[in-house]
Amino acid sequence: MGKVNIGAIVGMVMAEFAQVGLMIMGKSAMAHGMSNFVFVFYSNALASLILLPTSFLFHRSQLPPLTLPIFCGLFLLGLLGMLAQVFGYTGINYSSPTLATAMLNLVPGFTFIFAIIFRMEKLDLRSTSSLAKSLGTIVLITGALIMTYYKGSPLLLTPSSYNPTLQLFLDKSNWVIGGLFLAIDCIFTSAWLIVQASILKRFPAELIVVFFYTFFVAIQSAILCLVVERNPNAWSLKSNVKLIAVLYSGIFGSAFQVGICTWCMRQTGPVFVSLFKPLGVVISVALGIIFFGDTFYLGSFIGAAVIVSGFYFNQSKRPLLRNKLGGKKSMKKTM
């Protein structure tokens, strides 16, 4: 078995925890009347303000040249990210964070296909490494689908009481429409991972890439808001739920979660990062049991076991994972 980048694994687990929390907070804000377009603008604007001083200070000693092709690539990265967020939050608004985490299981498949098309990954069915990658990805997705659609008998019963404020996470009346938007979100997310990996090869400054990404998303979403949202009250943050959701999304979503994913991307590549999307289902189930009193079913146990085995199988025949996009340089060496 090849060596595994433990730092990248820990980072991606933390990023997925932040991602699940971001979905819950976004759903809460929209349930209290906040526009998904405005939510995307506020979260990325706050993240860009946080990253503006820290990113350039972090990379002050070895700042790569920001050429016109790189700048255009960053603009495209922001556009793909903005579209992914808009479609994603629209899907969550029509459905639930639970369905959103389940649909994210499509990201590894789309990313693997894009990576093959753009020659970031090689597919040779005669190679045990390619077979392991392909079968491992299929097993990961299968495990997440088991957790989502198969319950089985209850293994752990937790005391719970009816709470109307939590029912917004369980509404499936518009799950078809929501699922369609979330599927489009997965396509844009996969394309975003590929474009980001390409940029990091030529511009290995992770935090600056994240800053420009959030900066362009803020500008593009602001223009979209001015066209779509004509009501001035849509920009209001008087509700505590809206304000907390924006603060969380800006700090732990757009800044922390994207920053960690970008660092892991440079260490390992886009396919490895996308493989952690099914973990979101495991996290959402665990949070539901701990905080919302959900029941732990046999399907959740089997699905989690399949996901773990799929990830292990996917990595068992891989070569050294670290430094796939940037040689042996790391973020520490840019300081």
Side-chain angles (χ1 to χ4, degrees):
M1 179 178 176
K3 295 181 181 179
V4 177
N5 191 327
I6 301 299
I9 293 178
V10 174
M12 285 308 305
V13 171
M14 295 170 61
E16 287 306 310
F17 269 102
Q19 177 72 33
V20 173
L22 181 60
M23 291 180 178
I24 295 175
M25 297 303 295
K27 178 69 175 182
S28 301
M30 289 180 286
H32 285 78
M34 189 169 196
S35 165
N36 57 324
F37 302 104
V38 175
F39 184 71
V40 171
F41 164 72
Y42 275 134
S43 61
N44 286 275
L46 175 60
S48 62
L49 290 176
I50 295 173
L51 291 167
L52 176 59
T54 56
S55 60
F56 286 94
L57 181 64
F58 193 86
H59 295 284
R60 65 186 183 278
S61 60
Q62 296 181 6
L63 183 63
L66 185 61
T67 61
L68 182 60
I70 296 296
F71 193 79
C72 293
L74 292 169
F75 181 86
L76 175 61
L77 186 69
L79 180 61
L80 291 172
M82 188 270 291
L83 292 173
Q85 290 182 54
V86 168
F87 278 101
Y89 286 123
T90 302
I92 292 173
N93 193 28
Y94 275 107
S95 56
S96 69
T98 302
L99 180 61
T101 55
M103 292 298 294
L104 284 177
N105 302 311
L106 297 174
V107 173
F110 286 138
T111 305
F112 191 49
I113 293 172
F114 286 148
I116 293 173
I117 293 174
F118 291 99
R119 299 182 179 180
M120 291 182 174
E121 291 279 343
K122 294 181 180 180
L123 181 61
D124 183 5
L125 296 181
R126 296 171 298 179
S127 168
T128 55
S129 176
S130 293
L131 284 174
K133 294 177 187 177
S134 303
L135 294 178
T137 301
I138 294 173
V139 172
L140 277 168
I141 297 174
T142 302
L145 291 177
I146 291 174
M147 292 190 68
T148 305
Y149 297 110
Y150 172 68
K151 283 189 175 181
S153 58
L155 299 179
L156 177 63
L157 296 176
T158 56
S160 60
S161 58
Y162 177 80
N163 189 340
T165 61
L166 298 181
Q167 298 308 304
L168 59 93
F169 301 118
L170 305 176
D171 182 18
K172 297 184 180 180
S173 60
N174 295 311
W175 69 270
V176 175
I177 300 176
L180 177 61
F181 279 110
L182 291 168
I184 299 174
D185 165 36
C186 292
I187 295 175
F188 281 121
T189 299
S190 300
W192 179 84
L193 290 171
I194 297 299
V195 171
Q196 187 185 58
S198 177
I199 292 173
L200 288 171
K201 285 183 179 180
R202 297 172 291 167
F203 190 78
E206 295 92 333
L207 287 181
I208 294 181
V209 169
V210 178
F211 161 71
F212 276 109
Y213 160 69
T214 57
F215 175 72
F216 282 130
V217 172
I219 293 177
Q220 294 162 357
S221 59
I223 296 173
L224 184 61
C225 288
L226 293 176
V227 175
V228 177
E229 296 294 342
R230 301 299 181 89
N231 184 6
N233 293 328
W235 299 83
S236 174
L237 290 176
K238 292 183 179 179
S239 170
N240 290 334
V241 174
K242 294 180 182 179
L243 181 59
I244 293 174
V246 167
L247 290 175
Y248 179 92
S249 63
I251 298 172
F252 294 102
S254 298
F256 173 78
Q257 191 254 345
V258 177
I260 290 292
C261 287
T262 302
W263 179 79
C264 294
M265 174 88 67
R266 188 177 169 220
Q267 302 297 308
T268 62
V271 174
F272 177 85
V273 171
S274 69
L275 289 175
F276 282 83
K277 293 303 177 183
L279 182 62
V281 181
V282 181
I283 295 173
S284 63
V285 170
L287 293 179
I289 293 173
I290 296 173
F291 295 105
F292 301 143
D294 293 344
T295 302
F296 185 56
Y297 291 95
L298 176 63
S300 299
F301 174 78
I302 295 175
V306 172
I307 287 175
V308 172
S309 62
F311 181 80
Y312 178 85
F313 189 76
N314 188 282
Q315 301 303 320
S316 62
K317 297 297 183 181
R318 279 179 180 262
L320 183 63
L321 286 177
R322 79 182 58 189
N323 307 321
K324 188 173 184 179
L325 294 180
K328 294 186 177 181
K329 294 180 180 179
S330 65
M331 290 181 67
K332 293 181 179 179
K333 292 189 177 182
T334 60
M335 293 181 65

